[in-house]
Amino acid sequence: MSELHGKPGQGIGARVPRKEDARHLHGRGNFVSDLIFPGQREVVFLRSPIAHGILRGITKPAGFESVVYARADIAGIRNIEAPSTLPTYKLSTQPPLAQGKVRFVGEPVAMVVAKTRAEAEDIAEQIQLDIEELPALVDAHRARLDTDVRVHNEWSDNLFLTLDFDNNFEAESKKATIVVTREINLARQAMVPMEGRAIVAHWDDRAGQLIVYTSTQAPHVIRVGLAQFLGIDEGMIRVISPDVGGGFGLKCVLWPEELCVAWLALTQKKPFRYIEDRREHLTAGANCRQHHYTVTAYADQRGRLLALDAQITIDGGAYSNWPFTIGLEPGQATGNLPGPYEFKGYRCKTYCVATNKPGFLPYRGVARTGVCFAMELIMDAIARAVDRDPYEVRYENLIPPQLMPYNNVSRKHYDSGDYPRALAMVREKLDYDGWLARKAQGEPDGRLIGIGFASYCEQSAHGTSVFASWGLPLIPGYDQATVRTTPDGGLEIRVGVHSHGQGMETTLAQVAHEVVGVPIERIRVVHGDTGITPFSTGTYASRSIVMAGGAVGRACQTLLPRYIHIGAHLLKCKPDDARFEKSEVVGPNGRVSLKEIATAWFLRPERLPVDVDRDGLEATVGYKPTVDTGAFTYASHGAVIAVDPEVGGIEILDYVIVEDCGTMVNPMVVEGQTLGGVAQGIGTAMFEESPYDANGQPLASTFMDYTMPGATEIPAIRIYHTESPSPYTLFGIKGMGEGGAIAPPAVIFNGVNDALKDLGVEVNETPLTPKKLLEAIERARQAHPQRKVA
Amino acid sequence: MNQVVFTLNGERTEALVEPRLHLADYLRDTSRLTGTHLGCEHGVCGACTVLIDGQPARSCIAFTVACDGRDVRTIEGFEDDALMKDLRTAFTRDHALQCGFCTPGMLIAARDVVMRCPDADDKRIRSEMSGNLCRCTGYLGIANAINSVIQARRGGGATPAIRTAIAANAPVVQPLAKPWQAFTPADAEAAAPRPAVAAPLDDAGPREGWQRIEESFIANHSPGRVWEIFADTAGVAACLPGASIDEATPTSAKGRIDVRFGPMKASFAGATSLERNETRMEGRIRGGGSDSLTGSRAKADITYRLASEHDRTRVSIVMDYNLQGPLAQFSRSGIVKAFAGRMVAQFGENLNAKLGGGSAPIPLAAGRTAELNAGNVLWQWLWSTIKKLLGLTR
Amino acid sequence: MKSAKFDYTRPHDVRAAIHALADALGEAKFLAGGQSLGPMLNLRLTRPKLLVDVSRIEALRSIDVVNGSIRIGAAVTHAEIEDAGASLARNAMLPAVAREIAYRTIRNRGTIGGSLAHADPAADWPLALAALDAVIIVNGPAGQRSIPSARFMLAAFTTQLADDEMIEAIIVPELSPSARWGTYKFCKRTGEFPDAAAMAVFDPARRIARVYVGALSGAPVPLDALARGIAQQGAVALTATAVDRAIAMAVPELDAVGRKMHAATTMRAVQQALAS
């Protein structure tokens, strides 16, 4: 990293190496697909080859009738329905295996069980599906207007949801002298964690429980869902999420496959395993990012934004997921489009349209990658319209620090920060002026240089009131943590969130260390098991370090007086005369270690004071921030782009981030999260796409077709930090897991548009493939034959 | 089941395996060495990288049976390896892993890079590591960790990479190194012209979701005679390359079309309806079928139309096709379209052959099957070239 | 996904391999490195009944220099060619091309013969070997024959190889000391199949001038007139207009963008040759 940032020690702010690394470095991670139970059977799903059709019949191969399951064979499973309190919301009914109709390519239609996956596939390919094709709804704009062909017959049209927002738009827009409109599009893509989804379920007779190992970000939520849709008591289910090979949102919802495999184990009392393969993921998992914008900005002559008018169309796919619902994406898009900018008039109409594609899911950045892309492209377009430097225009529009906390035009409450400073720092660290000079000179190799900026703020750890406003059937409240002192003076922490790359086995230990002082080597963080951890809605929405970190901090703080009370007794002094300091209780006459205190409580109770706190050295404490509207991390990104106009190549020459996520628990982890997010954002910007043909066939079913960025596609990014603690959270921590993925498309497109400005080229549709870039140059050549075009 | 004997992490290992069992599944499910991960099973992501005879290889596309006699080493087989120890230390220090799923493959590839490219800089390291995908880290920690190990082995300190100058794919513009020595190539005759693209026949274009291929040829008969010959509608349908007709009536046929495309094979079983419109001198074959094993479906509407041209007949063919299911789910549609184009061209050849006059016989494929394949296409290519040279068409 | 069932055999010589294939009556495939076939098997896009593993047949495994030519056995891997700098000193284009194929892990297993037989339009060897005037030696029940590499590939995934034939070796001429060559491919991501590619070879001593474009929808296409012009006039003949016209004539089906991309790629490959 550019400047290694970190405090000494092991507490909050220290750059502590991760506790979780060793097992992975030795190949001893423990992922769901690594599990094998005696007698385990493999499960395969036969998926619809057709995007939209009437499912007339399923013919099971002769001799295999008993190992092939269709919807009618799994009657014990309820259809997945995710109700929402949002007005205009329409409920979709998703059968765990298709029934009546198939609604997207990749929808599970039948389930096959065999000894090996290969044998199950042998059987699955013998199943005959009788599907009468219906016209496929592939284009969201057309699907929105179509009432004859409908994804869900019981609806009157194809609209999941329509949101209307207006805050003072008419009055503010009238003041404008500059009006700029752009159409902006993002392609559909897949999330592509390196580990696909995976489920192993078995019945534990001794516990009388269905044990479901599943690769999920939210084990407790999955338990709620399994119980609800299998129609059994929650107490009958234990969900374990061991090592998870990346989530990114894909694994925070209940999947039909989870229900089906759990049902097999429940009804047959045997172990079953299903492992999603990459082809299934890329087809049945093409479920995010596809937004279409028409944005009109109203500004003054200097480019000061006065009002914004937007129409957003979200290609929602076929089904609304449980529990987040399809409402999350349009809700976030509408609310977050104004971003970090200060303006007073805003109108937005957002359509979420049902199409014959996999149902939309919340991918890292949830809607904000799209809205940031739209907002930042329009910001550069304003700068063009007023013929000013996009940096200057952006800088002047950012919310100034003196207005913090700030209630913005979409009624978000921004808690803290100096947004313009982050942008100014990017300018400086990027050496903007140096690049401008070089750009003016021109490159000897014929490439064109451009510089792009983007700023955003990232709502994190938003709680009850926010999710309630999005109408969800399951809303986060207090997150709980249990902190237990071990008899030898170590700590064991139990949390309901799940860590799958975020390093919380380390960072939550750092929080506990900050309070209790026990070396983190002696602090064990236990997560991912509903049997032994307190309830949490899980890891999503950049919430875990704030929520679980807060709960761990509070639980540790709860234990301190109990330690002091016993310690003072052992030191033969009054508790008021003793204090807790770095895992010891210190009194006027000496000090006693946590180990001795723990030994007294657990093993030598005769040494305890008579009025000892009977709750002992273990506490379960719930936490949520004092204001639950979110702690807003923010950042500005800047990049220098070189465009090779002959072949359409793009190289990122430099990429600088200035980020502020409040108090950092572990700067190394913060940087890792950011870098990983940026890599995904670069994927969105330049490489990743799940294209569909007009029949609704997905055209990227392998990594040969779906281009993932590799080590040569991601530059050596430089990150700089500022710290503006949140006033509403314990320690001032803000969540930041998603932010990296938000800005890169905006930064890269702004850089490319800057590079190609003289050619009259403006691109505004992801991903920016060489072909698309050359097409744009070609179009510009035809539109402006007088210009010098490469 | 086949018997294999190989060395696995230094130990002699005997196994009885189904030939289709790939090495990664053997390692994970049979040997229970679960550090080798499966991220794609088609040889791209690198999560399953192991050493086979000391060389990094994808274990998902290596079959266990083919590893007989080989030396296989997995992430679990490096506990005593000094270089791997250094890499592990560096990976932790530089935060080169998050979820850990790609990590074992990443380490095995990294170790190979350190050994094979002792002079590698950041750019070379990234290029050498480009076959291993990571979704979490953004690769900076990985590149830095490998760089630090390479630097340490060279005796220098680690220098994290920061790019400030133009690198990577910059186009090469170089001055002439030495004066050009002019010469006239030995084979200076002109290259054979390639087949031109047919002009569009029907301006309406295909239906949405369908692709269109057009082709035409001249038959040495009058349109009336061609129309008579084409009255054998099932015979016309049988001219579709790879077609075999099981049942036929004047207006319908049932059968299958076997298609082969490189190593891919599909067999579309289905039915066609056959129509003739004498006033328009137009015939239409509408058909659809499915390849049961992949669940793929193909539909095609093929229209032939006859028109008089200097006492002979121009036979124009338009094929609109629609492919759905797994065989359609690839992005290289240009190649599929080129393939469909050859199919229609060959249909034309077969019709022409059926008409007898002016046509060359259509041979069976070199592979002695009636599929559309290498031999047929070769013949079709040659024949269309000959025809062009003779000015027979277009 | 897992492959459909197949049987496996590993014959020890070419004869036995050809017999094994013939005996399977069209239901067998040769397996060399398996880097293309493996994925297709796993995806069940191909389902041969028998795989005939030729990867260890000694006669297919060596690089030999004989009579001014380099004979590369069909089962020699890309990595072996990449690393054979010393024995390929008289044709340095071969290791240079090998090094740019996919990723090292793929190159460690993938073979030159397998790549040619698979005939992916975007693959490197069909293009490079055409530009190098290589000859493909194939063998089958009817005996051995040789096919000029420029005519070997017919279309996407389609070659002159009969169903019962195998590639035995590739004969590549040595370049003379005055030879110049250039290769350029444009990939949107390192290691992927390119969007456009071109290779150029000029060997005055052998009076050979070749410019080929690849990564098309079918076989690589020669730009003979352009090559001839450059041979006769040098860099003067290498104008953007000349290249564009050559591509437009040779590959008329390319759209404007494809033509531009291939023209730029061709320009760079030839420039590289001129500058070498």
Side-chain angles (χ1 to χ4, degrees), chain A residues 577-623:
Chain A
D577 294 337
R579 65 181 194 281
F580 194 85
E581 190 179 274
K582 286 190 181 164
S583 78
E584 290 178 329
V585 171
V586 182
N589 315 315
R591 49 186 64 217
V592 58
S593 71
L594 186 57
K595 181 176 182 196
E596 290 168 81
I597 293 165
T599 301
W601 169 260
F602 287 103
L603 309 176
R604 302 298 301 272
E606 78 278 13
R607 293 180 183 166
L608 295 172
V610 287
D611 59 344
V612 68
D613 187 331
R614 290 175 197 188
D615 287 340
L617 303 186
E618 171 174 334
T620 297
V621 173
Y623 171 81

Side-chain angles (χ1 to χ4, degrees), chain C residues 22 30 38 56 115 130 168 171 177 189 197 206 219 237 253 261:
Chain C
F30 287 123
R56 295 195 224 178
S115 169
E168 201 172 322
I171 310 290
R189 151 161 160 64
R206 293 165 48 238
E253 65 268 29
M261 211 182 259

Side-chain angles (χ1 to χ4, degrees), chain A residues 364 369 456 458 635 637 655 657 659 673-682 736-745:
Chain A
R364 191 181 208 170
T369 305
Y456 65 89
E458 173 192 5
H637 293 202
Y655 198 112
I657 298 169
E659 186 190 55
Q673 290 296 303
T674 305
L675 290 169
V678 171
Q680 290 180 336
I682 291 174
M736 50 71 55
E738 300 171 82
I742 293 175

Side-chain angles (χ1 to χ4, degrees), chain A residues 253-411:
Chain A
V253 303
L254 180 73
W255 285 86
E257 292 89 342
E258 282 170 325
L259 282 171
C260 290
V261 175
W263 178 86
L264 283 170
L266 176 71
T267 53
Q268 300 186 20
K269 308 283 190 262
K270 281 187 212 150
F272 293 90
R273 174 169 84 166
Y274 164 69
I275 305 168
E276 178 189 62
D277 72 20
R278 187 56 61 192
R279 192 156 200 228
E280 292 179 289
H281 176 73
L282 290 175
T283 50
N287 53 25
C288 54
R289 289 286 186 262
Q290 193 167 18
H291 292 194
H292 308 285
Y293 294 84
T294 304
V295 185
T296 304
Y298 295 80
D300 69 14
Q301 285 297 341
R302 298 271 302 157
R304 190 75 175 76
L305 184 60
L306 302 168
L308 192 71
D309 189 15
Q311 181 175 310
I312 308 175
T313 306
I314 294 171
D315 187 329
Y319 297 110
S320 177
N321 69 82
W322 188 94
F324 287 101
T325 82
I326 203 92
L328 190 70
E329 192 81 11
Q332 293 243 42
T334 310
N336 286 307
L337 181 63
Y341 297 107
E342 188 208 354
F343 61 96
K344 301 279 188 311
Y346 177 45
R347 183 170 73 183
C348 184
K349 188 164 189 100
T350 304
Y351 300 102
C352 186
V353 185
T355 58
N356 292 116
K357 297 177 191 169
F360 213 97
L361 293 188
Y363 176 35
R364 191 181 208 170
V366 189
R368 288 159 294 184
T369 305
V371 296
C372 175
F373 186 60
M375 193 67 199
E376 294 299 312
L377 259 55
I378 203 85
M379 199 51 74
D380 270 36
I382 294 170
R384 249 170 252 236
V386 299
D387 198 23
R388 292 189 64 206
D389 183 342
Y391 169 85
E392 299 290 342
V393 169
R394 182 169 278 104
Y395 186 90
E396 290 169 17
N397 276 298
L398 286 168
I399 299 162
Q402 61 272 20
L403 296 185
M404 288 290 173
Y406 178 78
N407 294 313
N408 87 336
V409 70
S410 59
R411 305 194 180 100

Side-chain angles (χ1 to χ4, degrees), chain B residues 31-173:
Chain B
S31 288
R32 302 300 287 131
L33 294 167
T34 55
T36 298
H37 295 151
L38 285 169
C40 73
E41 279 190 301
H42 45 255
V44 181
C45 81
C48 68
T49 306
V50 299
L51 294 187
I52 300 179
D53 287 351
Q55 302 286 328
R58 311 287 207 218
S59 60
C60 72
I61 49 172
F63 292 102
T64 319
V65 65
C67 293
D68 187 38
R70 304 286 197 200
D71 179 20
V72 176
R73 198 170 177 191
T74 71
I75 189 64
E76 291 90 347
F78 291 91
E79 291 305 298
D80 304 321
D81 187 83
L83 173 52
M84 194 61 99
K85 187 170 179 241
D86 291 346
L87 280 165
R88 284 171 171 145
T89 306
F91 265 54
T92 284
R93 186 198 58 227
D94 289 327
H95 195 22
L97 65 153
Q98 288 181 26
C99 80
F101 197 80
C102 73
T103 308
M106 206 57 91
L107 281 171
I108 288 177
R111 183 176 171 278
D112 178 64
V113 173
V114 173
M115 294 200 307
R116 194 165 43 79
C117 316
D119 302 320
D121 58 4
D122 179 62
K123 185 185 162 201
R124 176 86 192 275
I125 290 167
R126 285 172 177 271
S127 162
E128 292 288 343
M129 293 299 293
S130 62
N132 287 70
L133 296 176
C134 168
R135 192 55 156 172
C136 295
T137 64
Y139 303 101
L140 183 62
I142 294 167
N144 285 351
I146 298 170
N147 205 345
S148 75
V149 171
I150 287 176
Q151 297 283 343
R153 282 163 73 91
R154 260 191 243 151
T159 47
I162 294 172
R163 273 194 215 187
T164 50
I166 290 198
N169 298 315
V172 188
V173 184

Side-chain angles (χ1 to χ4, degrees), chain A residues 34 122 133 438 447 701, chain B residues 20 32 135 166 299 329:
Chain A
D34 299 342
D122 293 345
E133 286 170 43
R438 176 163 162 184
R447 295 200 295 181
S701 63
Chain B
R20 66 169 158 176
R32 302 300 287 131
R135 192 55 156 172
I166 290 198
K299 284 181 282 189
Q329 292 161 12

